[in-house]
Amino acid sequence: MVHKNFAVALLAATVGACSQLPNKGTTPESETTQAKETTTASSVAASTPKPKEETLPPTDIWERLRRGFRLNHHVDNAKVQDYIAYFSRNEGYMARVSERSRRYIFHVVEELEQANLPLELALLPIVESAYDPFAYSHARASGMWQFIPSTGRSFGLQQNWWYDGRRDVHESTQAAVKYFKYLTERFDGDWELALAAYNAGEGTVRRAVERNRRKGLGTSFWELKLPRETKRYLPQLLALAEVVSRPDFYKVPLHNVANEPYYALVNVGSQIDMAQAAELAEIEIDELYLLNPGYNRWATDPNGSHQLLIPIGNQEVFQAALEKLPEDQRVTWQRYTISRGDTLSTIARRYQTTVNAIREANKLRNNNIRAGKTLLIPSSSGPAGQYAYALDQRVKGGQPSGRGQKTSYTVKPGDSLWAIARKMKVSVKQLASWNSMAPGDTLRPGRTLVAFAGSNPGGDSRTTRKVSYKVRSGDSLYRIANKFSIEIDDILRWNKITKAKYLQPGQRLTLFVDSAGNS
């Protein structure tokens, strides 16, 4: 499993330059000396009684974190020092991510402490997603813990049209705790290897360990040959922990976050309109979505019992108002007269709901409907723009405004994102971004994609590069085409082969890949 994180790409581009500069008021030599002194001081502190102030309740969440730090921060390591330099020189970044964490970090710490895990892990969402629960990577990792779909399902995170548990703050944190415990057991308590596996996948790390063992080499994280992103991943976390340990020394501003709960978990039972829930709680709907980013649409899932995170100060007023509201008034219902040519799927799309929700509301045994009959449709109570954090509205928000003419394309059987991007004269990366998807996502025939002619956000332009791809065991034409978002027919044409000819492991294929979409 691979968790693609957003901070890696951002920091890698600038950390090299930062490492050439000394910390404020110090020289590179004095930084190293201070770092070694810190390591010595830490070992001495472990053998001496705790000072009186540590027996008092923590003054804020950062003090609580410091008391629960257990990992070796390796402050004498060059890569760790590079990231310490980066964070200390980018006060704005640290101020933003620490402010963004204020809704969630207390509750993350609670879960970690209950599981007896090191509290450095509470800083991992900064590395993974900058503590953004809506974060989504091109590797299809989602949420502040950046679970990919398969790993999310393995740890109990449901994913459907209405809801994505990978973005659910409460559920994903519990899943992350389970995953940490699983990995540390698999790697015999070695947290450095466990964290590397969280990023690169258990198999990748285990193979690296075995490779070194066969060669008679060391098997610590620092000695393994691992993906470049993973080699940067652990030093970032350790540098963050070191900076949080001594923010005044490193002159890093941390947003003041109280050591107290921000939200309460409230069981709401049946489906409820998010706008109505916000009104009952007397909070802005944006605040409700920021606490409940797992809900993709204007309402919770019509199936099952659900829970909402509500600001702790609004819990009682919300529960009291919810008890007075009959279940059949928790969503708005519209009567729709079926027209000739209508199907349940077209009606569901029009009202932003699902076929199953319409069938259950109208007690339909199948998808057969008749023109002239009336259906009861669950629908949102407010205008679409009110649900700014709902998935469809986030997609619209990610599309450029006034940057070219909007073009629509309906996906046909056999289409690939690369081929569609080429037809629409945009990059795969742009097309994926505008439609809230990853370049490797499966395209379903009938889906409508949008593009904006003449747009060039971020200076991105479509460039094609020639790639020599080595066929691996288990590869197929379909798998390779899907991996690079290209068409099977193009692979056949570029390599002058036929579908009847089997691919052989080790065989070289020439591919022409959109470098913007597959970087």
Side-chain angles (χ1 to χ4, degrees), residues 92-111:
Y93 175 75
M94 289 303 297
R96 286 194 303 275
V97 295
S98 59
E99 192 281 333
R100 192 180 293 146
S101 74
R102 65 188 173 86
R103 293 180 177 87
Y104 320 114
I105 194 167
F106 171 88
H107 303 274
V108 170
V109 170
E110 288 276 291
E111 295 288 344

Side-chain angles (χ1 to χ4, degrees), residues 18-227:
C18 291
S19 64
Q20 304 303 315
L21 299 170
N23 270 345
K24 300 170 186 174
T26 65
T27 65
E29 292 79 6
S30 66
E31 285 180 8
T32 304
T33 303
Q34 289 161 349
K36 290 179 178 177
E37 288 174 354
T38 302
T39 305
T40 305
S42 298
S43 59
V44 172
S47 61
T48 56
K50 289 186 178 182
K52 183 179 180 181
E53 56 266 22
E54 288 211 10
T55 63
L56 301 174
T59 54
D60 60 15
I61 199 65
W62 309 114
E63 177 59 31
R64 184 174 177 184
L65 281 179
R66 292 176 199 118
R67 296 185 188 184
F69 283 168
R70 303 209 308 252
L71 303 183
N72 183 342
H73 295 171
H74 291 280
V75 292
D76 55 344
N77 179 275
K79 288 182 180 177
V80 175
Q81 288 179 353
D82 284 347
Y83 282 110
I84 289 173
Y86 173 85
F87 292 127
S88 67
R89 293 182 183 282
N90 287 270
E91 301 98 328
Y93 175 75
M94 289 303 297
R96 286 194 303 275
V97 295
S98 59
E99 192 281 333
R100 192 180 293 146
S101 74
R102 65 188 173 86
R103 293 180 177 87
Y104 320 114
I105 194 167
F106 171 88
H107 303 274
V108 170
V109 170
E110 288 276 291
E111 295 288 344
L112 293 172
E113 282 189 338
Q114 287 177 20
N116 193 29
L117 299 180
L119 294 192
E120 283 93 348
L121 298 178
L123 301 174
L124 199 62
I126 296 179
V127 180
E128 287 287 351
S129 63
Y131 253 111
D132 179 3
F134 292 103
Y136 183 75
S137 81
H138 290 305
R140 287 177 275 185
S142 190
M144 66 186 192
W145 294 104
Q146 287 290 280
F147 278 100
I148 62 172
S150 57
T151 308
R153 284 190 289 269
S154 296
F155 285 88
L157 299 177
Q158 298 178 17
Q159 298 152 58
N160 58 41
W161 191 82
W162 292 96
Y163 170 80
D164 189 339
R166 297 175 300 159
R167 290 199 308 271
D168 186 306
V169 172
H170 178 72
E171 295 295 329
S172 68
T173 299
Q174 290 194 324
V177 166
K178 291 176 187 175
Y179 195 21
F180 292 141
K181 292 175 73 173
Y182 165 81
L183 288 173
T184 191
E185 288 171 7
R186 297 289 287 174
F187 289 96
D188 300 323
D190 188 322
W191 271 107
E192 293 174 358
L193 294 183
L195 284 163
Y198 187 89
N199 175 254
E202 180 186 350
T204 298
V205 176
R206 195 165 294 286
R207 285 190 294 272
V209 168
E210 290 302 320
R211 189 162 51 241
N212 272 26
R213 189 170 286 146
R214 286 195 301 270
K215 295 178 179 178
L217 301 174
T219 57
S220 74
F221 168 83
W222 309 99
E223 298 166 289
L224 298 180
K225 186 177 181 180
L226 292 167

Side-chain angles (χ1 to χ4, degrees), residues 486-506:
I486 56 180
E487 292 185 324
I488 291 175
D489 288 344
D490 285 332
I491 299 177
L492 300 176
R493 177 168 52 83
W494 293 330
N495 295 276
K496 298 180 181 178
I497 57 176
T498 65
K499 285 185 179 180
K501 186 175 181 180
Y502 290 105
L503 296 179
Q504 301 295 328

Side-chain angles (χ1 to χ4, degrees), residues 243-270:
V243 165
V244 170
S245 293
R246 299 196 295 166
D248 292 338
F249 176 80
Y250 293 111
K251 297 181 172 60
V252 171
L254 296 176
H255 186 82
N256 184 27
V257 180
N259 182 38
E260 59 188 32
Y262 186 93
Y263 59 73
L265 202 64
V266 179
N267 185 8
V268 297
S270 62

